[in-house]
Amino acid sequence: GVGTPQPTQQYRSLCRTGSSARNAGHGAESGLSFTGGNAHRITTGGDFLMQLIQLLTYGKLKESYLRAACAEYEKRLSRFCKLQCVELEPVALPERPSEKEIAAALEKEAQPLLKRKKGFTIAMCIEGKQLDSPQFAQIFQRAAVQGDAAVTFFIGSSYGLADSVKQAANLRLSMSAMTFPHQLARVMLLEQIYRSYQILGGSPYHK
C-alpha cells in the first residue's frame, strides 16, 4: 500500500491555532475566486486541523468493488480528516421523464442537500471549473486558513443538481469534460481528496 505520512510542518503551521493573518492569502496563485468563509481561525486544540469533509450524494453504490474502493480511501483519509459520506434517496421518476418532471425532482432533491451543507461548499457539475490536483488541494488548505471547519461536496442524482444548489455553492467543480459512470465518479473524487492531503503533506504519492 501507499504510505500516508503526517502533514509537513508547513501545513501544520497553516492550521495551527492563532495562525498569523499573512497566511490568509496562501494559495491565491491558483487564480481561483472563492466566496464565503470565515475570517477567524479555528481553535483546533492540536497541531493540525482535522477538517470535516462531507460528501452529500444521491444514490447508493451498488457494485461491491466500488464500495471496497470507497472504503479503502475512507480508511486512508481517516488520518487527515473526518469523512462523512451521506447517501440520500433520489426522487423516483418515470423511465422517460419530461423536462418539467426532472426539474421538479431536482428541486425536491435540493432541499436535503442545502439543509445539510457545512463550511465551504462545492457543487459537482459538468459545467464547473476544472482544476489540476495541486489546485484542488489548495481548496482544503485555503478553507483551513480562512476558518472553514468543513468542506461539503454536492453530488447530484443521474440528472445532476438543481440550479438552486449550484447557485448556493461557493464553487462549481467539474472533474473532467469526459463522461464517467456516476458511481465511479465518487471513487475518483475520494482519490483526489486523498491526493490533496498527500500534496499538502509533501508526500511522494503525487508525482
Side-chain angles (χ1 to χ4, degrees):
V2 179
T4 54
Q6 293 291 348
T8 62
Q9 182 62 35
Q10 181 185 14
Y11 180 50
R12 287 198 298 267
S13 68
L14 285 171
C15 303
R16 196 183 306 277
T17 304
S19 296
S20 63
R22 66 176 177 271
N23 287 328
H26 207 87
E29 64 272 13
S30 68
L32 296 177
S33 177
F34 296 96
T35 60
N38 301 318
H40 65 276
R41 300 290 176 264
I42 298 174
T43 301
T44 64
D47 283 339
F48 64 95
L49 175 68
M50 288 291 284
Q51 286 177 315
L52 169 64
I53 306 299
Q54 273 199 134
L55 267 63
L56 303 181
T57 179
Y58 274 97
K60 295 184 178 181
L61 293 177
K62 298 178 181 179
E63 304 294 341
S64 58
Y65 65 89
L66 292 175
R67 292 197 300 270
C70 283
E72 174 62 25
Y73 284 113
E74 288 174 13
K75 179 181 177 181
R76 295 186 185 191
L77 280 165
S78 65
R79 297 185 63 182
F80 299 94
C81 65
K82 297 176 183 178
L83 179 67
Q84 291 182 356
C85 294
V86 180
E87 295 181 330
L88 303 168
E89 187 67 27
V91 174
L93 283 168
E95 185 175 349
R96 294 185 178 181
S98 66
E99 291 295 325
K100 186 176 180 180
E101 289 173 323
I102 293 172
L106 292 181
E107 279 304 322
K108 287 182 180 179
E109 291 174 353
Q111 297 171 16
L113 294 176
L114 297 176
K115 183 178 179 179
R116 290 173 171 83
K117 70 173 185 176
K118 296 179 181 178
F120 189 87
T121 53
I122 301 171
M124 304 299 297
C125 49
I126 193 168
E127 73 272 21
K129 187 178 183 69
Q130 293 185 28
L131 305 176
D132 61 24
S133 293
Q135 289 174 328
F136 185 59
Q138 289 176 18
I139 292 174
F140 304 97
Q141 184 182 56
R142 188 163 183 173
V145 171
Q146 291 183 336
D148 283 318
V151 177
T152 298
F153 291 88
F154 298 133
I155 304 174
S157 59
S158 57
Y159 288 99
L161 294 166
D163 287 340
S164 59
V165 175
K166 297 175 185 178
Q167 292 168 4
N170 298 115
L171 175 68
R172 300 182 190 185
L173 181 66
S174 171
M175 294 193 68
S176 173
M178 295 181 179
T179 302
F180 298 100
H182 191 66
Q183 296 186 345
L184 177 60
R186 193 189 313 182
V187 178
M188 296 167 62
L189 177 59
L190 284 173
E191 191 280 334
Q192 284 298 305
I193 295 171
Y194 173 71
R195 183 179 295 272
S196 293
Y197 284 107
Q198 292 292 327
I199 290 171
L200 295 176
S203 166
Y205 176 85
H206 178 73
K207 298 178 181 178

